[in-house]
Amino acid sequence: MEEDELSISSSSSSLSVFSDISEEVAAAETPSPPPSPPGACPSPEALEAPPLSETQGVGSSSQDEEQQSTTAAPEDAESSRKQAAHLMMAELVKFLLEKYLAKEPTTHAEMLSSVFTEHQDHFPEIFSRASRCLQRVFAVDVKEVDASDHSYVLVNSLGLTYDGVASDGHSMPKNGLLVLLLFVILKEGECASEEKVWKVLSDMGLHDGVENSIFGEPRDLMTKVWVEEQYLEYRQVAASDPARYEFLWGPRAHAETTKLTVLEFVQNQY
């Protein structure tokens, strides 16, 4: 049991990436650089530093001012590199999500021309990190289908047939959260109390009654949408007074995936 609790705790603490990436994707739609929260997917640190003339004062009148400028320059350059990396990664995640929603393939050349107008030599590193974030947050895989032209398709990581995307395409895939809930249920002995589930969600920055930019209102998603789609079962604990509730796998989850697949996916991601 101690090992199981450790696994859940370790995973849930890493799940802050959900809220971090939602902020990153939203920020990609605005011209201002997104923040660099500590829990976000790591940024490449090798991005070219801006010219020192942009971060240092010109014509300092004293040696002290020159020393302060020299000390601040590396910190400013590092901050600029991280901001640029986060912005490009968020832009790439947003671009790939649009391809997933449109059920369209993409190519290396298209990604370069659409997202990487600068720093194209850092594409492999940022593409790798963006792909991993898509897996973690949305349970979406980027798969190469033709090595000759480096073309890719985006597919559901576990092959689940429902991803929570509205028919108008104006929402994001939600299976990343569903898979993690299936994982928590397994680690809790195939039946997770509602209290335990909300504890995990709280660690992720998801709260009852609070709308999330990716998942909407989490209670509605878990107790209505996924129950109606038969991925989850939500039932009252027998003889509980006051009433308490618990979550189990629904019949559709059992039909479309396996316990081993879910365990391996989550543990490989975190």
Side-chain angles (χ1 to χ4, degrees):
M1 177 62 70
E2 183 178 352
E3 181 179 353
D4 287 353
E5 290 293 335
L6 179 61
S7 298
I8 295 173
S9 175
S10 177
S11 297
S12 61
S13 65
S14 300
L15 299 182
S16 61
V17 69
F18 275 73
S19 56
D20 293 335
I21 294 303
S22 68
E23 292 175 3
E24 297 284 337
V25 174
E29 300 176 357
T30 69
S32 60
S36 303
C41 290
S43 304
E45 296 183 355
L47 288 173
E48 182 179 356
L52 288 180
S53 60
E54 296 180 8
T55 57
Q56 287 183 301
V58 179
S60 298
S61 59
S62 70
Q63 185 175 359
D64 288 343
E65 289 180 357
E66 290 179 359
Q67 289 176 343
Q68 290 175 357
S69 178
T70 302
T71 302
E75 295 178 359
D76 292 343
E78 180 67 13
S79 176
S80 296
R81 284 194 294 266
K82 287 184 177 182
Q83 287 182 340
H86 273 293
L87 180 59
M88 284 189 289
M89 187 186 71
E91 288 281 2
L92 184 56
V93 168
K94 179 174 176 287
F95 172 83
L96 292 171
L97 278 174
E98 290 172 351
K99 291 295 182 180
Y100 174 82
L101 295 173
K103 296 180 171 58
E104 295 176 353
T106 188
T107 64
H108 175 269
E110 184 181 25
M111 285 184 274
L112 286 180
S113 63
S114 299
V115 180
F116 286 78
T117 55
E118 297 179 352
H119 304 298
Q120 292 192 357
D121 51 328
H122 298 290
F123 171 81
E125 178 71 11
I126 294 178
F127 175 68
S128 175
R129 294 176 185 272
S131 298
R132 188 164 179 81
C133 287
L134 283 169
Q135 281 187 320
R136 284 185 171 187
V137 180
F138 304 103
V140 169
D141 282 341
V142 183
K143 292 190 174 182
E144 187 174 43
V145 292
D146 191 339
S148 63
D149 66 351
H150 298 290
S151 60
Y152 301 86
V153 294
L154 292 102
V155 299
N156 190 295
S157 296
L158 278 75
L160 301 177
T161 56
Y162 175 81
D163 59 11
V165 175
S167 58
D168 61 7
H170 293 162
S171 59
M172 297 187 188
K174 300 172 178 62
N175 281 351
L177 179 58
L178 174 58
V179 171
L180 286 161
L181 290 179
L182 295 175
F183 170 79
V184 171
I185 292 168
L186 287 178
K187 300 299 283 186
E188 287 292 293
E190 303 189 16
C191 181
S193 68
E194 186 172 17
E195 292 83 1
K196 178 63 182 183
V197 168
W198 281 114
K199 172 62 170 66
V200 172
L201 294 182
S202 177
D203 290 343
M204 295 165 52
L206 297 175
H207 304 284
D208 191 1
V210 180
E211 195 82 8
N212 178 268
S213 59
I214 295 176
F215 305 111
E217 204 287 301
R219 174 173 291 279
D220 183 73
L221 183 62
M222 294 188 304
T223 64
K224 293 182 181 179
V225 176
W226 284 334
V227 170
E228 291 173 359
E229 294 295 332
Q230 299 189 332
Y231 282 113
L232 295 178
E233 182 180 347
Y234 179 64
R235 70 184 187 190
Q236 184 176 343
V237 176
S240 60
D241 184 16
R244 291 184 295 108
Y245 292 85
E246 58 192 5
F247 289 91
L248 298 85
W249 279 38
R252 192 170 175 182
H254 284 290
E256 294 183 358
T257 190
T258 67
K259 298 173 185 177
L260 182 60
T261 299
V262 169
L263 288 171
E264 288 181 343
F265 176 80
V266 175
Q267 290 174 342
N268 286 340
Q269 292 301 312
Y270 301 100

